[in-house]
Amino acid sequence: MWRGMLQRELTLALRRPQDVLTSLIFFVIVVSLFPLGVSPQLSVLQGIAPGVIWVAALLANMLSLSRLFSDDFRDGTLEQMLIAPQPLSLVVFSKIFAHWLLSGVPLVLISPLLGMQLGLAGDPLKMLMLTLLLGTPVLSLIGAIGAALTLGVRGGGVLLSLLILPLYVPVLIFATGAVDAVGSGFDADAQVSLLAAFLVLALCFAPWAAAAALRIMME
Amino acid sequence: MSAEYATSAEKSLPWLKFANPRNFYPLAGKMIPWFTALAIIFTLIGLYISFFVAPTDYKQGESYRIMFIHVPAAWMSMFIYIVMACYAAIGLIWNIKLSDMMAGALAPTGAIFTFLALWTGAFWGRPTWGAYWVWDARLTSELILLFLYLGFISLRAAIDDPRRAARASGLLALVGVINVPIIYYSVKWWNTLHQGASVSVTESPKMASIMLTAMAVMAFAFWMYTIAVVLARVRTDILEREREAVWVVEEVSRTA
Amino acid sequence: MNWESFSDFIQMGKHGFYVWSSYGVTALFLAIEILLVRRKRQVVRKRLARLARLDTTLEK
């Protein structure tokens, strides 16, 4: 049953591949602007690389979030999902999972290229990928709550960023902290375990909260 | 809707009577002058202690007197968020309209205290560390708390249907209050990692008890002020949301 | 007593600007909040009273 739901989400999203590409291109462009704005020196860029890539990832993730529920909301599918026999949180979870597969995973895959552009290599680069792999699903999960709460609200896109960017702060801090730690020769076990803990916490809590938010906004 | 009859729960728990906006409105009206008076008295006492009783700090000179409003404002900003989330939870779980309204009425005051904590922090930081803004753990957390308040207020304002606005922002407040400690500790960890300037009030070997007294009195004054202003805001909310009720029509036509 | 004179009190040992900006802005913001709450209340009461009058005239 769950695979069917996931398949539906993926097929629908892949019918419009430009959506997936847009947020990926946005990610690449934002990161590429920093050397132009700061300095082309690799020593300078190395210092800010984890932060730049992570902030760009937060923004790219947020851009694609506003569409998480809005298409289904507009054509009435969401209303049917609300009264369907399957638990709503499971439907929401499959939507979030599809969102992560199509917006988070591409970021993870392209991040080594951008990391190298900014002078990261070796272990810090691997750590950057690992933090993105652990962190982007957390972003999608928390973001889904915001996307549900701003559903059908005027000015929803800007409002969404105001609601969820502050909640992304812990992920940003520990992810960039992990890359920095590895870069200066320490191990980053603590940060990685905390990111994993955030992921577990968000997995338990966010689909349920997003489903509750959807119920509030649709009742 | 339920303005005209007492439910069975109200009979067994007399306090629940005041969860009904109709009963709460006159009660709040009677309470506001008392809390206003208390706020004024405690402000005067607090200001007197802050400026005339508390001695000059041997290290910071007179600028440390900013602490007497900075610290209480910071306390209030966090405390109000927690109270707001509690009201939001009660409103969501038991579907109590008045509780939703209280959560919404607390938010602007909480945001103001958060802003004041930041502002006074900046003006305390300039003479003490030579910069208006340092990325200290507390100031940074206050900044994020201000963003959380602004998100709550904006979401509430953006949704037209008042009931939906209250429930949606209530859920947001709950998500926020779970995140506040996580945000606070991650910012603290980030701060020690980067060895930023640390603003510590408790650092001084023994904070004179007179300073603690001044801060406590000012915090109490702020608390009384908050109750008075929130009750006044809730009363207006009640009138607006119950405008169909007969008693509201009578109330507004009586003195207009 | 901490202060020799009134100007001494205003100067706050060269930190007068910082101390008084903090206290001043706090007082200003709380005063503005009170004013806004009051004005909102008056506006809402007036509007609801007008609505009520309108209703009674329509019923007649």
Side-chain angles (χ1 to χ4, degrees), chain C residues 17-43:
Chain C
F17 171 68
Y18 304 108
V19 174
W20 296 122
S21 326
S22 302
Y23 278 84
V25 168
T26 304
L28 183 74
F29 265 71
L30 299 189
I32 290 176
E33 192 189 13
I34 293 171
L35 279 181
L36 286 180
V37 168
R38 282 202 162 169
R39 221 187 54 188
K40 173 100 191 276
R41 181 169 170 75
Q42 281 161 4
V43 169

Side-chain angles (χ1 to χ4, degrees), chain A residues 6 16 43 122 154 168:
Chain A
L6 187 63
R16 295 172 57 190
S43 56
R154 66 193 122 85
Y168 283 174

Side-chain angles (χ1 to χ4, degrees), chain A residues 153-154 162-163 174 213 217 219, chain B residues 151 154 158 160 164 171 186 189:
Chain A
V153 170
R154 66 193 122 85
L162 187 56
L163 300 190
F174 287 109
M217 297 309 284
E219 72 189 3
Chain B
S154 318
D160 292 322
R164 183 179 295 170
L171 187 76
S186 50
W189 178 84

Side-chain angles (χ1 to χ4, degrees), chain A residues 149 153-154 159 162-163 166-167 169-170 173-174 177 191 198 201 205 209 213 216-217 219, chain B residues 144 147-148 151 154-155 158-160 163-164 167-168 171-172 178-179 182-183 186 189-190:
Chain A
L149 285 175
V153 170
R154 66 193 122 85
L159 188 59
L162 187 56
L163 300 190
L167 302 178
V169 167
I173 286 176
F174 287 109
Q191 289 92 317
F198 290 157
L201 203 69
F205 179 71
I216 290 172
M217 297 309 284
E219 72 189 3
Chain B
I144 296 168
F147 295 154
L148 290 178
S154 318
L155 181 65
I159 304 175
D160 292 322
R163 188 182 136 79
R164 183 179 295 170
R167 293 180 72 79
L171 187 76
L172 182 71
I178 291 167
N179 271 276
I182 300 178
I183 292 172
S186 50
W189 178 84
W190 161 82

Side-chain angles (χ1 to χ4, degrees), chain B residues 23-229:
Chain B
N23 301 326
F24 188 74
Y25 183 88
L27 177 73
K30 273 185 211 129
M31 288 191 321
I32 289 171
W34 290 100
F35 284 107
T36 312
L38 282 175
I40 293 170
I41 293 168
F42 278 98
T43 307
L44 291 178
I45 299 174
L47 286 177
Y48 178 74
I49 301 177
S50 311
F51 282 109
F52 296 103
V53 179
T56 308
D57 189 72
Y58 70 100
K59 244 167 73 191
Q60 298 182 26
E62 307 295 353
S63 67
Y64 92 107
R65 293 184 196 279
I66 296 172
M67 191 171 82
F68 298 135
I69 43 172
H70 170 72
V71 176
W75 283 345
M76 288 307 296
S77 67
M78 288 178 257
F79 194 49
I80 290 179
Y81 198 89
I82 295 168
V83 175
M84 188 178 94
C86 291
Y87 273 120
I90 294 170
L92 274 178
I93 297 168
W94 287 291
N95 218 343
I96 297 174
K97 211 195 276 180
L98 185 63
S99 196
D100 282 340
M101 290 190 215
M102 285 297 285
L106 277 161
T109 308
I112 286 175
F113 277 120
T114 316
F115 174 79
L116 288 175
L118 286 170
W119 178 276
T120 53
F123 275 75
W124 185 25
R126 180 67 183 80
T128 316
W129 307 285
Y132 280 107
W133 182 262
V134 286
W135 287 95
D136 155 71
R138 284 169 209 227
L139 283 179
T140 312
S141 317
E142 281 288 321
L143 184 66
I144 296 168
L145 185 64
L146 181 63
F147 295 154
L148 290 178
Y149 271 120
L150 294 179
F152 179 90
I153 295 170
S154 318
L155 181 65
R156 215 177 164 91
I159 304 175
D160 292 322
D161 178 45
R163 188 182 136 79
R164 183 179 295 170
R167 293 180 72 79
S169 56
L171 187 76
L172 182 71
L174 286 184
V175 174
V177 85
I178 291 167
N179 271 276
V180 162
I182 300 178
I183 292 172
Y184 178 73
Y185 283 105
S186 50
V187 169
K188 213 169 156 183
W189 178 84
W190 161 82
N191 188 247
T192 50
L193 181 78
H194 294 275
Q195 286 150 6
S198 185
V199 184
S200 185
V201 189
T202 47
E203 207 175 50
S204 49
K206 250 189 211 160
M207 196 170 24
S209 66
I210 190 70
M211 298 184 192
L212 263 180
T213 313
M215 289 195 294
V217 172
M218 284 307 273
F220 201 69
F222 281 168
W223 195 215
M224 296 300 113
Y225 164 84
T226 305
I227 296 177
V229 85

